[in-house]
Amino acid sequence: MEDAFGRFVEVLAGCLDEPEVAGDELAARLHLSRAQFDRVVSAAAGEAPDRLRRRVLLERAAFRLRTTEAGVLDVAVEAGYSSHEAFTRAFRRAFGTAPAVWRGSAAGFLLAAPNDVHFYPPGGLRLPARRQVRSMNFVPGLIEHHAAVVGRLLDAAGALPSELKPQLDKPIELSVMSIDVDPTPRSVLARLVGQLEMWTCAMANEPYDVTQERERTLGELREQLDRVGPAFVATVRRIDAEDRFDETFVDVTGGEPYIFTAAGMIAHILTYAAYRRTLVVGALAALGADVEDDPLAWFTAST
């Protein structure tokens, strides 16, 4: 039922500019009978699908009245009403006043709803969270997704045709100074993996030889990531669960003491990793690899 409701919301968002679309058509787009459609959506949403859609369109109409110079009749037609009078009656029932009067008020445009599905400017929908994202799953989740993305980049590099593999050791041409010296796709991948092990060693006050990173093959880097990635994620989860982000470390393995906090370390890793991942994505895409790294997809309503 939840999946069907989710699909209904997707269809609804996609047809906000089609006010003529009726319930039968919406049901058909979901491959449901009209009776099934009404029953499933009503059970999940707490209101009938037609009522939900009318409410969302009225919220959009109210937003349009407040933020544009469009005439009331134009807004009414956009909301699926055939006349100024019918729109005014529906708007007055929903907002307690006529559209022209409401336009000059300071009232909000969201209407009470049993499901917390609302219009989201300028042309989408806002849905309630299916689960609460707390720091306990958000911060470690960022690190976990980072490690997973690096793994996919390594796999994409390894899957390149043999005649393109030498390009992985060619310099990446940049118009600005890089945070890495003479970066190549392979060296940046090595730094992405080595960064996790380096900071693990720093927390344990153990030495780490960064010079050996460029010598590792893609297979060796994948094995290293499979080892250090989960271990580092587990470390961040413990820090998060015990609220130890302000814990301070003093690393003396490099000669001069280096002081850092757990929060600073995590911020450092994610900040520089984002740059390096973007660099590698661009380099691999130029070689024909199918790669993508958009954090918008890391935390979705279904995860």
Side-chain angles (χ1 to χ4, degrees):
M1 177 166 32
E2 186 171 300
D3 289 343
F5 178 65
R7 287 188 286 118
F8 162 68
V9 171
E10 291 177 5
V11 170
L12 175 61
C15 68
L16 288 180
D17 290 325
E18 302 176 71
E20 71 282 358
V21 173
D24 289 342
E25 173 62 21
L26 291 175
R29 293 185 184 186
L30 290 175
H31 306 292
L32 297 174
S33 69
R34 181 57 192 271
Q36 287 176 309
F37 172 68
D38 288 342
R39 184 173 64 254
V40 168
V41 175
S42 296
E47 62 181 331
D50 286 344
R51 180 180 178 83
L52 191 158
R53 186 164 188 266
R54 284 196 301 272
R55 175 176 56 75
V56 168
L57 288 172
L58 281 172
E59 289 179 344
R60 187 179 70 164
F63 175 79
R64 293 270 291 151
L65 288 170
R66 178 67 50 76
T67 59
T68 74
E69 299 297 324
V72 173
L73 181 58
D74 292 330
V75 173
V77 172
E78 289 178 352
Y81 293 87
S82 58
S83 69
H84 184 291
E85 292 74 16
F87 174 66
T88 297
R89 286 195 299 271
F91 194 93
R92 188 189 295 275
R93 284 196 300 269
F95 291 93
T97 188
V101 176
W102 189 92
R103 173 172 249 167
S105 72
F109 66 85
L110 299 184
L111 297 168
N115 44 59
D116 205 24
V117 175
H118 295 284
F119 173 69
Y120 180 73
L125 296 176
R126 188 189 74 191
L127 312 181
R130 295 188 182 182
R131 64 182 180 90
Q132 189 171 11
V133 177
R134 302 177 184 273
S135 66
M136 187 170 290
N137 50 47
F138 178 62
V139 177
L142 288 175
I143 293 291
E144 188 171 31
H145 283 297
H146 162 58
V149 170
V150 173
R152 290 198 292 272
L153 293 177
L154 283 169
D155 293 341
L160 288 172
S162 57
E163 64 270 18
L164 293 180
K165 290 288 179 63
Q167 297 296 321
L168 295 175
D169 296 308
K170 298 290 185 181
I172 299 175
E173 296 185 5
L174 300 172
S175 59
V176 295
M177 183 179 294
S178 172
I179 61 175
D180 298 310
V181 178
D182 300 327
T184 68
R186 189 193 304 272
S187 73
V188 177
L189 283 167
R191 186 80 281 263
L192 282 165
V193 178
Q195 189 181 38
L196 297 177
E197 186 158 11
M198 180 188 76
W199 283 101
T200 298
C201 291
M203 286 188 291
N205 209 9
E206 297 174 352
Y208 178 78
D209 182 9
V210 70
T211 62
Q212 47 73 44
E213 288 181 357
R214 283 179 177 254
E215 305 302 320
R216 289 182 172 164
T217 66
L218 292 176
E220 290 170 337
L221 289 173
R222 197 58 168 94
E223 291 177 2
Q224 182 187 10
L225 179 64
D226 290 342
R227 173 173 51 83
V228 302
F232 193 84
V233 171
T235 296
V236 175
R237 289 195 184 280
R238 285 196 298 273
I239 291 171
D240 197 14
E242 298 168 12
D243 196 18
R244 293 190 287 114
F245 286 108
D246 58 350
E247 186 171 18
T248 301
F249 300 85
V250 181
D251 179 12
V252 297
T253 60
E256 291 293 324
Y258 185 78
I259 301 173
F260 63 92
T261 65
M265 171 197 66
I266 294 169
H268 171 94
I269 288 174
L270 291 175
T271 298
Y272 285 95
Y275 164 81
R276 291 184 174 113
R277 286 197 316 266
T278 302
L279 206 60
V280 173
V281 166
L284 293 180
L287 294 176
D290 184 14
V291 289
E292 185 177 350
D293 175 22
D294 188 346
L296 277 174
W298 288 10
F299 295 90
T300 65
S302 60
T303 60

